[in-house]
Amino acid sequence: MKPHRPRIGLALGSGSARGWSHIGVIRVLEQAGIRPDIVCGTSIGAMVGAAYAAGEMERFESWVSQLSWQGVVGFLDLKMGGGLMAGGKLVEFFRSRFDDQGIELLPKAFGCVATDLSSGREIWLREGSVVDSVRASIALPGIFTPSLCDGRLLVDGGLVNPVPVSLCRAMGADIVIAVDLNWDLVGRRYRVPNASQAEAVPAGNGLVDSFLSRFRPARPAADAAGAAPAAPSMLEVLATSLNIMQVRITQSRLAGEPADVLIRPRLSDIAITDFHRSAVSIAEGVRAAEHALPMIREMLD
């Protein structure tokens, strides 16, 4: 009798724009002939994972690679209530371009994580609309409005399970390859871009510019006079606090539910809104995955 081939699970973690790194990881695995049977994602990991599970990675990567800063801003639909953005433009974009027949009919087994805003419970989404499930998983509190699903208000799954190893195990994975995008973020400083960086943010977007520019990373300028650094803005504090929360929750969850192989791209220079910097993120995903390949092959032998 042939030995049973272990079922491979791929757990794609949260991390906003750093999530394009997942594309590089998947590319390396596919080229090495390592094709996961189960794909699970949280937040941006849910978006990339859904595209992969649907067999749409080529089209998805093409769209991501062409995404400009202006294109990112074009998806914003400001809504002052429950979050700054309703997310309707993004949802309709994917509905119009991808055939959403439901999670149950995807070529690969897929699941994603969201958080019940009322109870704080972790919610596993494994059936129903792919687009609606992904929309719930990416609903970063304060940024996207919560998603209404079966009478529950759902927000970003990264609040409770940033790297969904446990969901992969529950869906039958024998070996889990996990991707942690946030491990090196603590200690990063965020501030408003200086003049040399201003060209990255197009003028004329008013509130959108004012809000999003504050989440762009920049290394603190040298202070020749030795003066103390300026006090951080409210949004700097929010971004840094979010990073700390994500890192600590991830560490805690992975300690109790370890992956068999953990891939950790170095992405501290990618801000949460740098969706237009896909080339940098994808390349780092490729590098990190190639570094992990010997361990993955050893696990599968």
Side-chain angles (χ1 to χ4, degrees), residues 14-22 44 64 69 72 181-186 188-190 197 212 214-219 239 242-243 265-285:
S14 61
S16 298
R18 294 181 287 272
W20 297 156
S21 190
H22 291 316
I44 192 67
V64 166
W69 179 255
V72 173
L181 304 177
N182 302 314
W183 66 280
D184 62 343
L185 294 183
V186 173
R188 285 292 297 166
R189 170 75 190 274
Y190 286 84
Q197 298 165 312
L212 291 182
R214 293 176 183 268
F215 287 91
R216 296 184 51 72
R219 298 188 183 279
L242 182 63
N243 287 342
R266 296 183 178 275
L267 299 164
S268 62
D269 285 332
I270 302 294
I272 65 172
T273 57
D274 279 349
F275 292 99
H276 60 296
R277 297 182 63 197
S278 60
V280 177
S281 294
I282 292 172
E284 179 55 21

Side-chain angles (χ1 to χ4, degrees), residues 88-155:
K89 290 184 179 180
L90 185 63
V91 167
E92 290 311 311
F93 174 84
F94 283 109
R95 284 200 203 282
S96 66
R97 287 163 176 79
F98 295 93
D99 184 19
D100 184 359
Q101 297 186 35
I103 291 176
E104 302 92 331
L105 296 180
L106 291 174
K108 288 182 181 290
F110 173 74
C112 62
V113 179
T115 304
D116 187 319
L117 186 61
S118 298
S119 67
R121 291 179 55 219
E122 178 177 341
I123 304 298
W124 291 350
L125 302 171
R126 293 181 285 180
E127 58 184 23
S129 167
V130 177
V131 173
D132 289 345
S133 297
V134 170
R135 168 63 178 86
S137 188
I138 67 171
L140 188 64
I143 308 300
F144 280 107
T145 57
S147 179
L148 183 61
C149 181
D150 294 331
R152 298 176 297 195
L153 285 176
L154 303 183
V155 293

Side-chain angles (χ1 to χ4, degrees), residues 225-270:
S233 70
M234 179 186 71
L235 291 175
E236 286 179 319
V237 172
L238 176 62
T240 303
S241 299
L242 182 63
N243 287 342
I244 293 171
M245 179 191 72
Q246 288 279 291
V247 170
R248 300 308 181 209
I249 294 173
T250 302
Q251 289 175 343
S252 177
R253 291 300 300 255
L254 290 177
E257 302 155 350
D260 296 289
V261 179
L262 185 59
I263 299 174
R264 284 178 159 170
R266 296 183 178 275
L267 299 164
S268 62
D269 285 332
I270 302 294

